[in-house]
Amino acid sequence: MELRQLEYFVAVAEEANFTRAAARVHISQSGVSAQIRALERELGAELIDRSGGTATLTTAGQAALTQARATLSAADSVRQCVDDVAGLLRGSLRVGMVTACTVPQLFDALARFHSAHPGVELALQEGNSDRLVADVRAGELDIALVGVAARAPDGLESMVVIDERIVAAVPPQHPLAAQDEATLAQVCEHPIIALPPGTGIRAVFDRDCAGVGLAPSIALQGTAPDAVADLAARGLGVAILSASMTKSYDDKLVAVDLTDSHTAALLALVWRARMNPALAELVSVATRSFSEFS
């Protein structure tokens, strides 16, 4: 009996499908099937019922699953003990970042971590902030860089990277460009270009507008700040962005302060309180990387 056979068996049991299990353990479906067949021959009992549309556990399979998980957990503990003594980290980390992230400190942190701990596999995915937070809560992601309104999400550990207000960004020929500041009502008299719902900047704008009794009509949406800024620069409306997002467009856009927008737009790293050693080390590396930025 081999540990990999138990790993494949647990994957099939949890996925209820040989194809998904094969993708999860990164080998072919035929390879998974062959190894489980070998395990069944050694144990003298069928573990997986293959007769239906899904792979379901037999009575023997149900009895074996708990012990298979315990055996794999014990093996991981042995590896971790040895790695702790040797100063090594292994495993994998799933990292999320808000779509079109333009903060290089996250990439610096990932590069430093990878250089110091090449035995840890890193996976990176983009998404809107609401989805990323939900994935961290569910354990689908280990850590994520997200945009949020006012405060970091409850129930998660966090580190605020950027704390700023939103602004209206318009081209120099726009009527609002002659003003240093404007109210939300004045801004909403014009077509609005914004990030989509589920993003931190949009959450701030929607919250502050609701606070003064406004229900703005969004003319255009862009999934990335650069797209929102570029649309505004072409005269298609007023962009709602954070002050830092407009800096690279200083030659095309004028940032107008919003006098009645009081909610902070935050960019934050979030992770669950229960951390494995690899995640704890990545958090430490990221903290140093972002501290150098501030």
Side-chain angles (χ1 to χ4, degrees):
M1 186 183 305
E2 300 178 6
L3 287 175
R4 62 174 177 164
Q5 293 173 333
L6 297 179
E7 180 186 1
Y8 301 163
F9 165 60
V10 170
V12 172
E14 292 179 347
E15 298 293 340
N17 181 278
F18 276 86
T19 301
R20 291 195 298 269
R24 171 171 153 179
V25 298
H26 307 296
I27 70 166
S28 67
Q29 180 178 335
S30 61
V32 169
S33 183
Q35 288 299 321
I36 291 180
R37 287 290 190 194
L39 178 61
E40 290 173 325
R41 286 195 298 272
E42 183 170 349
L43 294 175
E46 187 179 66
L47 303 177
I48 306 292
D49 182 354
R50 303 163 175 82
S51 62
T54 59
T56 58
L57 293 177
T58 63
T59 301
Q62 291 172 353
L65 180 60
T66 299
Q67 293 304 319
R69 285 171 170 157
T71 300
L72 292 172
S73 178
D76 286 341
S77 295
V78 171
R79 291 191 190 96
Q80 189 59 60
C81 288
V82 174
D83 288 350
D84 288 346
V85 172
L88 300 174
L89 290 177
R90 293 194 180 99
S92 62
L93 288 174
R94 298 153 299 178
V95 182
M97 68 176 186
V98 65
T99 300
C101 172
T102 56
V103 181
Q105 284 69 29
L106 174 63
F107 303 137
D108 291 341
L110 294 177
R112 291 177 182 178
F113 179 87
H114 177 69
S115 178
H117 307 288
V120 179
E121 180 182 353
L122 293 172
L124 181 66
Q125 70 179 57
E126 290 185 310
N128 76 40
S129 295
D130 284 357
R131 180 71 262 169
L132 294 175
V133 169
D135 285 347
V136 173
R137 291 191 193 282
E140 297 297 321
L141 291 173
D142 295 296
I143 188 170
L145 183 67
V146 300
V148 291
R151 64 180 186 179
D154 293 334
L156 295 176
E157 298 295 312
S158 63
M159 177 178 66
V160 174
V161 176
I162 296 175
D163 179 344
E164 59 184 343
R165 305 292 182 181
I166 60 171
V167 299
V170 295
Q173 65 274 19
H174 193 279
L176 291 177
Q179 306 175 203
D180 292 330
E181 55 187 32
T183 65
L184 288 166
Q186 288 175 313
V187 166
C188 289
E189 292 174 358
H190 303 274
I192 300 296
I193 307 172
L195 293 164
T199 58
I201 299 297
R202 178 64 178 273
V204 170
F205 181 63
D206 289 346
R207 177 183 297 191
D208 284 345
C209 283
V212 294
L214 294 172
S217 176
I218 308 300
L220 297 169
Q221 287 187 165
T223 58
D226 283 349
V228 173
D230 200 27
L231 289 167
R234 296 171 188 272
L236 294 172
V238 178
I240 303 299
L241 296 167
S242 69
S244 62
M245 290 175 177
T246 66
K247 287 182 178 178
S248 60
Y249 280 82
D250 281 349
D251 59 331
K252 297 180 180 179
L253 293 175
V254 175
V256 180
D257 292 335
L258 299 172
T259 58
D260 48 355
S261 175
H262 305 298
T263 302
L266 307 180
L267 188 68
L269 275 174
V270 297
W271 63 92
R272 291 189 298 171
R274 187 174 180 179
M275 294 187 288
N276 60 38
L279 179 55
E281 178 62 16
L282 178 57
V283 169
S284 177
V285 172
T287 299
R288 293 196 299 272
S289 180
F290 281 106
S291 294
E292 293 169 4
F293 169 67
S294 59

